[in-house]
Amino acid sequence: MTGDFLTQLSTGADGLLSCNGLDYIEFDVRIARDPTCPSASKAAYMALAAFADMELHITLTAESVAGWSTEVRSAMLPYRKTIAACMGRSANTFDRAVVDLVGRDFLLVQPQENPDHPGAPDANLYRLTDRERWARQVLERASNPTPPAPLLGADGRPVPRVLRTPGIDFIKLDARIACFGGRSPNYKAVYAAVASFVNLTSRAITERPPTIRELMACTGLGRTAVTDALAQMRADGLLVTRDQYASDHEGGGRLASSYALLDGRLWRARAAAREDREIAQFIGGSTHEPDGGLPTTRTGVSPSAGQGSPHQPDISNRSSENRGGELLPDARRASSGGKARGPRANRAAKPAAKGGSAADRTKKPRTTTIRTTPSRPVPGEEIVFAAIDALGVSKHPALRVPPLRRAVRDLLSAGRTTDHALARINAGWWRAGAPERVASGEIRGAVGYLATVLSGQDCERPDCERGVILGSGEDCRACGLREVEREADRARRHLEAQTEAAASSGSRAAKRPSTGSADRSHSTKATWKCQAPGPGGIGTGVCGRPGLGTPPPLPMCPDCLDDLQRALGR
C-alpha cells in the first residue's frame, strides 16, 4: 500500500469511505517523548487504546459479550493474539510490553473468566490510567500555577526541548494505524513523536520544527530507523515535509524540516460522511440508529446482527442518495491513484471485470523505490578528517566511515567552518576525557560518540555555535555560553593580578635587609607562570598560575599537568 494508504484503511469493500468506528485515539505525550519506553510498548498502548472505552479507557468485560459468536468476541475483546496482530509482533512481545506499561503505572490488568465456560480463562480486562494522570496534572496546574521551566538546567547547560514539560497532556493518533499490524512499532513510535510537536487541530508544526536528533531523543531509535519511518510516512500519504533554509544574513545552511500530518483531513472527511448519513436518514423519515440499528461500542466495533434483526444498509455508501450524487469529502477508491472520484453522471461507463466484485477491479499498487545518493564533498573537510584520523577512533579513514563522513559534511554544510569543527573535537574529545571513558567502557562506540559530538546542538537555536550567532557574531541569549567564558576570563585576569601583586611584594621584601639567607628569600618569589589553557579549559588565554622556584621542563602547574596526563590517557 502506497500513496493513499491512510485512506485505504478507511475504505470499505465497495471502494467508498467508511465512517464507522473511532477516528483517533488519545495518547499520553510523555510516553510519546520518552526514549526509555520501547517502541513495542508504545504500539501496545496504541492498540489497547483503540479497544478501550473512549471516556473511561477500559476495555470490554467478558460478560458484556457473553453468548456472542467467537468471531465477534475476537473482534471486540483484547485477546493476546489480537493485540499482537495489531502490533505486528508476537504474543510474547505483547506480554513484555504489558509488563513494561504496568511498571510505568500506565496500565492495570485484571484476569477474566469466560462466562459461557466457567473456569476457562478469557481475555484480560485492561485499564489505561492515563486519564487519571491527565486529571491530576490539570488540577496541579490550576492550584499551583508555576512559571515556565527555565531554559538552563542545574549545571548551567540548556535543557533539551524534549525534556521540558510539554504544554499538552495527550496527542491524537489515527485509530486505524494503531490497529494496523502492517506498520512496525518503530513506525508508530516516530508517528507519535512527530504528533507531539504538531497542533492538535491543524496537525501542522506551529513552533520550531523538531530535528532528526530530537526525534531520535523522543523514540530512542537510531538515525536510520527514524529517517526510514519518516520516508514510509511520506509514502503512505500520512506526512508531508518542507525543507527550510536559513537566510543569507543568518549564515545560510539548511534548517530542520517542517512537518504536517494529513490524518486530520481524513477525520474531517469521516465526520462529514457521518453527517451525510444522519441527514439522509432524517430526510427519509427513519430513526437514526448507527451501524445497522445496533448499539455502537466505544471501541468502534458494532456487534453483529442477531437472528431476527433487520438489515439496515449504510446509506452513506450509496453515492446516488448522498447529496444528490455529490461526493463525500476526500473519498477515494483504492484504484484511483489518489485522485478524487468524479460525479457518477460524468463518469464513463466501463465494462465490469469478470467476477463482478470491486476487489477484482482494484489495480495492484506499484512499489515505490527510494534511491539515495552519497553526500558530496565540501570545502575544508580534509582538514577535519585528518584531525579525526589522528585520534585513532577507527581503523579505517574517517572519510570511509559513514557516520563520521555524514556528521562532518552536515556540519560544514550548515554554515560552520573547519575551526568550528576542530573546536568541537577539542571540547568533546580531549576536554571531556573521552579517551579514558573509552578505555573504561563508559563510551562503547568511539565512532558514534565522535559523530554525536560533531552533529550535536546543545543550544535550541540552530544558528548558535558555542554561544555565538552565526552571521551576526552576537552572543546567544538562549544558552549563555559566552557569559560563562567571560566569567572564566574575569577569573583569569583576577588571578594574574594576584600573581603580579605577589611578585611585587616579593621584590620589595628582597630589597629590605634581612637576617635570613638570600636563597630562602629567592625561593619565595614567583619566578614563572603556568602556560596551560585557561581555568577548567575555558577561555583563550593561559592559566597564569604563579610558580615558585626553578621553572619545570613543562611550564605547567600540577593541576594542569594532571589534566593533560589524563587527557592523553597515560
Side-chain angles (χ1 to χ4, degrees), residues 332-375:
R332 301 184 179 98
R333 283 187 182 270
S335 60
S336 61
K339 299 180 180 179
R341 296 168 56 240
R344 183 180 298 272
N346 297 336
R347 295 200 304 268
K350 297 182 180 180
K354 294 182 179 181
S357 64
D360 295 336
R361 295 193 300 270
T362 302
K363 295 181 180 179
K364 183 178 180 180
R366 297 181 179 179
T367 303
T368 301
T369 302
I370 301 176
R371 292 186 175 92
T372 58
T373 56
S375 56

Coordinates of all heavy atoms in Angstrom, one line a residue, residues 332-375:
R332 N -11.9 8.4 -1.7 CA -11.1 7.9 -2.8 C -11.2 6.4 -3.0 O -11.4 5.7 -2.0 CB -9.6 8.2 -2.7 CG -9.3 9.7 -2.5 CD -7.8 9.9 -2.4 NE -7.4 11.3 -2.3 CZ -7.2 11.9 -1.2 NH1 -7.2 11.2 -0.1 NH2 -6.9 13.2 -1.2
R333 N -11.1 5.9 -4.2 CA -11.1 4.5 -4.4 C -9.7 4.0 -4.3 O -8.7 4.7 -4.5 CB -11.7 4.1 -5.8 CG -13.2 4.2 -5.9 CD -13.6 3.7 -7.3 NE -15.0 3.8 -7.4 CZ -15.9 2.8 -7.1 NH1 -15.4 1.7 -6.6 NH2 -17.2 2.9 -7.3
A334 N -9.6 2.7 -4.0 CA -8.2 2.2 -3.9 C -7.5 2.2 -5.2 O -6.3 2.2 -5.3 CB -8.3 0.7 -3.4
S335 N -8.2 2.2 -6.4 CA -7.6 2.1 -7.7 C -7.5 3.5 -8.4 O -7.3 3.5 -9.6 CB -8.4 1.1 -8.6 OG -9.7 1.5 -8.7
S336 N -7.9 4.5 -7.7 CA -7.9 5.8 -8.3 C -6.6 6.5 -8.3 O -6.5 7.7 -8.8 CB -9.0 6.7 -7.6 OG -8.6 6.9 -6.3
G337 N -5.6 5.9 -7.7 CA -4.3 6.6 -7.7 C -4.2 7.8 -6.9 O -3.4 8.7 -7.1
G338 N -5.1 8.0 -5.9 CA -5.1 9.2 -5.0 C -5.9 10.3 -5.6 O -5.9 11.4 -5.0
K339 N -6.6 10.2 -6.7 CA -7.4 11.3 -7.3 C -8.8 11.1 -6.8 O -9.3 10.0 -6.7 CB -7.3 11.3 -8.8 CG -5.8 11.5 -9.3 CD -5.8 11.5 -10.8 CE -4.4 11.7 -11.3 NZ -4.3 11.7 -12.8
A340 N -9.5 12.2 -6.7 CA -10.9 12.2 -6.2 C -11.8 11.7 -7.4 O -11.5 12.0 -8.5 CB -11.3 13.6 -5.8
R341 N -12.8 10.9 -7.0 CA -13.7 10.4 -8.0 C -14.6 11.5 -8.5 O -15.0 12.4 -7.8 CB -14.6 9.3 -7.4 CG -13.8 8.1 -6.9 CD -14.7 7.2 -6.1 NE -15.9 6.8 -6.8 CZ -17.1 7.1 -6.3 NH1 -17.3 7.7 -5.2 NH2 -18.2 6.7 -7.0
G342 N -14.9 11.5 -9.8 CA -15.9 12.4 -10.4 C -17.3 12.0 -10.1 O -17.6 10.9 -9.6
P343 N -18.3 12.9 -10.4 CA -19.7 12.5 -10.2 C -20.1 11.4 -11.0 O -19.5 11.1 -12.1 CB -20.4 13.8 -10.6 CG -19.4 14.9 -10.5 CD -18.1 14.3 -10.8
R344 N -21.1 10.6 -10.6 CA -21.5 9.4 -11.2 C -21.9 9.7 -12.7 O -21.7 8.9 -13.6 CB -22.6 8.7 -10.4 CG -23.1 7.4 -11.0 CD -24.2 6.8 -10.2 NE -23.7 6.6 -8.9 CZ -23.1 5.4 -8.5 NH1 -22.9 4.5 -9.4 NH2 -22.8 5.2 -7.3
A345 N -22.6 10.9 -12.9 CA -23.2 11.2 -14.2 C -22.0 11.5 -15.2 O -22.2 11.3 -16.4 CB -24.1 12.3 -14.1
N346 N -20.9 11.9 -14.7 CA -19.8 12.3 -15.6 C -18.8 11.2 -15.9 O -17.9 11.4 -16.6 CB -19.0 13.5 -15.0 CG -19.9 14.7 -14.9 OD1 -20.9 14.9 -15.6 ND2 -19.6 15.6 -14.0
R347 N -19.0 10.1 -15.2 CA -18.0 9.0 -15.3 C -18.5 8.1 -16.5 O -19.7 7.8 -16.6 CB -17.9 8.2 -14.1 CG -17.3 8.9 -12.9 CD -16.7 8.0 -11.9 NE -17.7 7.0 -11.4 CZ -18.5 7.2 -10.4 NH1 -18.4 8.3 -9.7 NH2 -19.4 6.3 -10.0
A348 N -17.6 7.8 -17.3 CA -17.9 6.9 -18.5 C -18.1 5.5 -18.0 O -17.4 5.0 -17.1 CB -16.8 7.0 -19.5
A349 N -19.1 4.9 -18.5 CA -19.4 3.5 -18.1 C -18.4 2.6 -18.6 O -18.0 2.6 -19.8 CB -20.8 3.1 -18.6
K350 N -17.8 1.8 -17.7 CA -16.8 0.8 -18.0 C -17.3 -0.6 -17.8 O -18.1 -0.9 -16.9 CB -15.5 1.0 -17.2 CG -14.9 2.4 -17.4 CD -13.6 2.5 -16.6 CE -12.9 3.8 -16.8 NZ -11.7 4.0 -16.0
P351 N -17.0 -1.5 -18.7 CA -17.4 -2.9 -18.6 C -16.8 -3.5 -17.3 O -15.7 -3.3 -17.0 CB -16.9 -3.6 -19.8 CG -15.8 -2.8 -20.3 CD -16.1 -1.3 -19.9
A352 N -17.7 -4.2 -16.5 CA -17.3 -4.8 -15.3 C -16.3 -6.0 -15.6 O -16.5 -6.7 -16.6 CB -18.5 -5.3 -14.5
A353 N -15.3 -6.1 -14.7 CA -14.4 -7.3 -14.9 C -15.2 -8.5 -14.5 O -16.2 -8.6 -13.8 CB -13.2 -7.1 -14.0
K354 N -14.6 -9.6 -15.0 CA -15.2 -10.9 -14.7 C -15.2 -11.2 -13.2 O -14.1 -11.0 -12.6 CB -14.5 -12.0 -15.5 CG -14.7 -11.9 -17.0 CD -14.0 -13.1 -17.7 CE -14.1 -13.0 -19.2 NZ -13.5 -14.1 -19.9
G355 N -16.3 -11.6 -12.7 CA -16.3 -11.8 -11.2 C -17.2 -10.8 -10.6 O -17.9 -11.1 -9.6
G356 N -17.2 -9.5 -11.1 CA -18.2 -8.5 -10.7 C -17.9 -7.9 -9.4 O -18.6 -7.0 -8.9
S357 N -16.8 -8.2 -8.6 CA -16.5 -7.6 -7.3 C -15.6 -6.4 -7.5 O -14.8 -6.3 -8.4 CB -15.9 -8.6 -6.4 OG -14.7 -9.0 -6.9
A358 N -15.7 -5.5 -6.5 CA -14.9 -4.3 -6.6 C -13.4 -4.7 -6.3 O -12.5 -4.0 -6.8 CB -15.3 -3.3 -5.5
A359 N -13.2 -5.7 -5.5 CA -11.8 -6.1 -5.3 C -11.1 -6.6 -6.5 O -9.9 -6.4 -6.7 CB -11.8 -7.2 -4.2
D360 N -11.9 -7.2 -7.5 CA -11.3 -7.7 -8.7 C -10.9 -6.6 -9.6 O -10.0 -6.7 -10.4 CB -12.3 -8.6 -9.4 CG -12.6 -9.9 -8.7 OD1 -11.7 -10.3 -7.8 OD2 -13.7 -10.5 -8.9
R361 N -11.6 -5.4 -9.5 CA -11.3 -4.3 -10.4 C -10.2 -3.4 -9.8 O -9.8 -2.4 -10.4 CB -12.5 -3.4 -10.6 CG -13.6 -4.2 -11.4 CD -14.7 -3.2 -11.8 NE -15.3 -2.5 -10.7 CZ -16.4 -2.9 -10.1 NH1 -16.9 -4.0 -10.5 NH2 -16.9 -2.2 -9.1
T362 N -9.7 -3.7 -8.6 CA -8.7 -2.9 -7.9 C -7.3 -3.2 -8.5 O -6.9 -4.3 -8.6 CB -8.6 -3.2 -6.4 OG1 -9.9 -2.9 -5.9 CG2 -7.6 -2.3 -5.8
K363 N -6.6 -2.1 -9.0 CA -5.3 -2.3 -9.5 C -4.3 -2.6 -8.5 O -4.4 -2.1 -7.4 CB -4.9 -1.0 -10.3 CG -5.8 -0.8 -11.5 CD -5.3 0.5 -12.3 CE -6.2 0.8 -13.5 NZ -5.8 2.0 -14.2
K364 N -3.3 -3.3 -8.8 CA -2.2 -3.6 -7.9 C -1.3 -2.4 -7.7 O -0.9 -1.9 -8.7 CB -1.4 -4.8 -8.4 CG -0.3 -5.3 -7.4 CD 0.4 -6.5 -7.9 CE 1.5 -6.9 -7.0 NZ 2.2 -8.1 -7.4
P365 N -1.1 -1.9 -6.5 CA -0.3 -0.7 -6.4 C 1.2 -1.0 -6.7 O 1.7 -2.1 -6.6 CB -0.4 -0.4 -4.9 CG -0.8 -1.7 -4.2 CD -1.6 -2.4 -5.2
R366 N 1.8 0.0 -7.3 CA 3.2 -0.1 -7.6 C 4.1 0.1 -6.4 O 3.8 0.9 -5.5 CB 3.6 0.9 -8.7 CG 2.8 0.7 -10.0 CD 3.2 1.7 -11.0 NE 2.5 1.5 -12.3 CZ 2.7 2.3 -13.4 NH1 3.6 3.3 -13.3 NH2 2.0 2.1 -14.5
T367 N 5.2 -0.6 -6.4 CA 6.2 -0.4 -5.3 C 7.0 0.8 -5.6 O 7.6 0.9 -6.7 CB 7.0 -1.7 -5.2 OG1 6.2 -2.8 -5.0 CG2 8.0 -1.6 -4.0
T368 N 7.1 1.6 -4.6 CA 7.9 2.8 -4.7 C 9.3 2.6 -4.2 O 9.5 2.1 -3.1 CB 7.3 4.0 -3.9 OG1 6.0 4.2 -4.3 CG2 8.1 5.3 -4.0
T369 N 10.3 2.9 -5.0 CA 11.7 2.7 -4.7 C 12.3 4.0 -4.4 O 12.3 4.9 -5.3 CB 12.5 2.0 -5.8 OG1 11.8 0.7 -6.1 CG2 13.9 1.7 -5.4
I370 N 12.9 4.2 -3.3 CA 13.6 5.5 -2.9 C 15.1 5.3 -3.0 O 15.7 4.5 -2.4 CB 13.2 5.9 -1.5 CG1 11.7 6.0 -1.4 CG2 13.9 7.2 -1.1 CD1 11.2 6.3 0.0
R371 N 15.7 6.0 -4.0 CA 17.1 5.9 -4.2 C 17.8 7.1 -3.5 O 17.4 8.2 -3.5 CB 17.5 6.0 -5.7 CG 17.0 4.8 -6.5 CD 17.5 4.8 -7.9 NE 17.2 3.6 -8.6 CZ 16.1 3.5 -9.3 NH1 15.2 4.5 -9.4 NH2 15.8 2.4 -10.0
T372 N 18.9 6.8 -2.8 CA 19.6 7.8 -2.1 C 21.0 7.9 -2.7 O 21.6 6.8 -3.1 CB 19.7 7.5 -0.6 OG1 20.3 6.2 -0.4 CG2 18.3 7.4 0.0
T373 N 21.6 9.0 -2.7 CA 23.0 9.2 -3.2 C 23.9 9.7 -2.1 O 23.4 10.4 -1.2 CB 23.0 10.3 -4.3 OG1 22.4 11.5 -3.8 CG2 22.1 9.8 -5.5
P374 N 25.1 9.3 -2.1 CA 26.0 9.8 -1.0 C 26.2 11.3 -1.1 O 26.1 11.9 -2.1 CB 27.3 9.0 -1.3 CG 27.3 8.7 -2.8 CD 25.8 8.5 -3.1
S375 N 26.5 11.9 0.1 CA 26.7 13.3 0.2 C 27.9 13.7 -0.6 O 28.9 13.0 -0.7 CB 26.8 13.8 1.6 OG 27.8 13.1 2.3

